[in-house]
Amino acid sequence: MPQLSNRTATFTDSVIRRMTRISNKYGAVNLSQGFPDFEPPREILDRLAEVTREDFHQYSITWGAQNFREALAEKQSRLMGRSIDPNSEIVVTCGSTEAMMAAMMSVTNPGDKVVVFSPFYENYGADTILSGAEPIYVPLNPPEFSFDADVLEAAFKQHPKALILCNPSNPCGKVFTREELLIIADLAKKYDTFVITDEVYEHIVYAPYEHVYFASLPDMWERTISCSSLSKTYSITGWRLGYVIAPPHIIDTVKKVHDFLTVGAAAPLQEAAVTGLRFGDDYYKWLQDKYTEKRDLFLRGLDSIGIRHTVPQGAYYILLDISEFGYASDLDFCEKLAEYVGVGAVPGSSFFKEPENRYIRFHYAKKNETLENALDRLGDIRKKMPKP
């Protein structure tokens, strides 16, 4: 028999999705995979019900329905501080996962290098390898998850083709400051490097922190490929609607990659989601307030239990320090946590290139009563967890 592809030899299945299956197996409160247990905005669901009875059941334009791209361009033009052309500067994708992959395949060649901050969302390393490129990992140092500018420049001195920037960051909840972004921008110019951003949590940022779109920085539009999705902003993770925004000469290539990867995103869901893209600023303020409340509720509960944890600046993830429990494997800890305590988490080692075993990741995109249930179960964690 012929051998299978070498490029996947180092891959495992997604640890995040695996922990959802383990949570389901033990009936645990699933705080591992980051999807809500509450409904999307009613206006979007009402429009979806109408769309099912209308003529949106065949392919839309490959790079996105016209009205979807126009509504997205209007929204992002306001936020990013420049006029975005819906016809030449946007591609609609099947989630931000495809957006990132299409961006990577559009700018890298086999043998190129790509800078990835660690900890990182697990797809980034895989995207790099699937593109035939080589990741260069630069640590974000706990507990603030700041980077050393000299270490970052040492990575740039290897002449990478691109840098991946997740802001706000999954899994550590870091919001990069304008000063940090300008350091990255200066290095990108100095070493002639693309920056591929993942900004899916752009609207989930906690005061006093603010999200700065990398493409809005001076001289950065021409070398930035901005990726995002509607999943987190409108609580529709299962709809798989993402997008790439970039200058026309980059988008022309992204369109071709996207066309051969997936043909196009779901036409009826694009039509329904236009309603959300046209929400006013009051919706995004409401969303920020909603997640601020959930974050504070969860932090208070963890503080009362007395477990050390990070304080997220954005996104909806918390890293718990499990050092006190003495487990040699954070994966083993998470499996036992689901079985004996009844709460699902993701082992932090799946996000770090460095040998790191002291963290597990929870998310709090859940109803308040779900979070309170999880906190009740965690209250007995020291009694219920078996000794390693």
Side-chain angles (χ1 to χ4, degrees):
M1 290 293 290
Q3 291 186 340
L4 298 176
S5 164
N6 290 332
R7 67 169 57 92
T8 61
T10 61
F11 289 10
T12 66
D13 62 320
S14 162
V15 179
I16 296 173
R17 265 78 81 185
R18 186 195 311 171
M19 291 313 303
T20 283
R21 295 192 294 272
I22 290 173
S23 294
N24 292 340
K25 176 181 177 180
Y26 293 112
V29 179
N30 184 6
L31 302 187
S32 53
Q33 191 173 353
F35 58 85
D37 63 351
F38 45 82
E39 284 194 341
R42 175 51 53 185
E43 297 92 330
I44 296 177
L45 296 183
D46 288 345
R47 179 62 186 134
L48 178 62
E50 295 172 352
V51 167
T52 62
R53 298 186 294 274
E54 298 175 11
D55 188 18
F56 294 100
H57 301 294
Q58 312 308 324
Y59 297 124
S60 69
I61 297 171
T62 297
W63 45 86
Q66 185 70 34
N67 61 341
F68 185 99
R69 283 181 285 113
E70 289 174 354
L72 178 61
E74 182 179 351
K75 170 183 177 285
Q76 294 303 119
S77 294
R78 184 175 72 254
L79 294 169
M80 298 173 76
R82 66 173 297 115
S83 179
I84 296 169
D85 187 332
N87 298 314
S88 65
E89 297 178 336
I90 292 176
V91 174
V92 182
T93 60
C94 297
S96 61
T97 300
E98 191 217 335
M100 293 292 295
M101 192 70 225
M104 286 286 294
M105 296 186 74
S106 294
V107 304
T108 62
N109 292 311
D112 284 339
K113 296 181 179 181
V114 176
V115 177
V116 179
F117 284 112
S118 173
F120 55 92
Y121 176 57
E122 61 183 359
N123 281 39
Y124 301 155
D127 288 350
T128 303
I129 293 167
L130 287 171
S131 300
E134 176 187 345
I136 307 170
Y137 294 98
V138 173
L140 295 173
N141 302 306
E144 296 300 323
F145 295 96
S146 56
F147 61 84
D148 184 318
D150 292 335
V151 173
L152 181 60
E153 182 158 18
F156 270 95
K157 285 179 179 178
Q158 299 181 51
H159 298 286
K161 192 68 170 291
L163 174 144
I164 296 176
L165 176 69
C166 183
N167 185 32
S169 179
N170 175 8
C172 62
K174 176 182 175 58
V175 175
F176 287 79
T177 66
R178 185 177 184 87
E179 290 72 25
E180 289 174 320
L181 296 175
L182 287 172
I183 291 171
I184 298 170
D186 287 344
L187 292 171
K189 285 189 289 185
K190 181 177 179 180
Y191 293 95
D192 194 23
T193 302
F194 287 112
V195 176
I196 301 172
T197 69
D198 181 350
E199 297 176 295
V200 298
Y201 302 100
E202 60 201 293
H203 295 294
I204 305 176
V205 179
Y206 309 108
Y209 302 97
E210 295 182 354
H211 177 65
V212 177
Y213 290 92
F214 195 83
S216 71
L217 296 173
D219 303 321
M220 283 299 105
W221 167 253
E222 289 300 320
R223 64 176 66 251
T224 303
I225 302 97
S226 302
C227 302
S228 192
S229 83
L230 278 61
S231 293
K232 318 300 183 180
T233 299
Y234 306 105
S235 303
I236 49 174
T237 62
W239 289 29
R240 313 309 299 134
L241 293 176
Y243 56 87
V244 179
I245 295 176
H249 71 284
I250 297 174
I251 285 296
D252 283 346
T253 299
V254 175
K255 284 179 177 178
K256 290 183 284 188
V257 174
H258 161 70
D259 193 359
F260 289 109
L261 278 178
T262 62
V263 178
L269 300 181
Q270 289 184 66
E271 180 63 27
V274 168
T275 299
L277 291 173
R278 290 180 173 152
F279 285 162
D281 290 342
D282 56 334
Y283 173 77
Y284 304 103
K285 177 62 167 62
W286 172 84
L287 186 74
Q288 184 182 45
D289 291 345
K290 177 189 182 80
Y291 275 108
T292 299
E293 177 191 7
K294 293 182 182 301
R295 182 192 71 156
D296 293 348
L297 183 158
F298 203 52
L299 291 178
R300 284 195 304 271
L302 293 175
D303 287 342
S304 69
I305 296 167
I307 301 179
R308 289 180 295 179
H309 58 79
T310 59
V311 178
Q313 302 165 354
Y316 48 57
Y317 303 104
I318 289 176
L319 296 177
L320 262 66
D321 187 333
I322 59 168
S323 303
E324 65 172 281
F325 295 93
Y327 274 70
S329 164
D330 56 359
L331 176 58
D332 183 33
F333 181 93
C334 285
E335 291 176 344
K336 296 283 197 309
L337 184 72
E339 181 177 2
Y340 291 95
V341 182
V343 180
V346 181
S349 58
S350 64
F351 303 108
F352 285 85
K353 178 59 176 178
E354 305 78 33
E356 182 61 79
N357 195 55
R358 60 181 150 160
Y359 294 116
I360 63 171
R361 192 198 75 175
F362 284 139
H363 84 88
Y364 49 88
K366 297 295 185 186
K367 297 173 184 175
N368 286 2
E369 52 265 38
T370 305
L371 297 176
E372 289 165 351
N373 182 11
L375 289 166
D376 284 344
R377 297 182 182 204
L378 289 169
D380 292 329
I381 186 172
R382 292 180 180 90
K383 294 179 181 178
K384 293 180 178 177
M385 282 295 289
K387 299 295 182 183

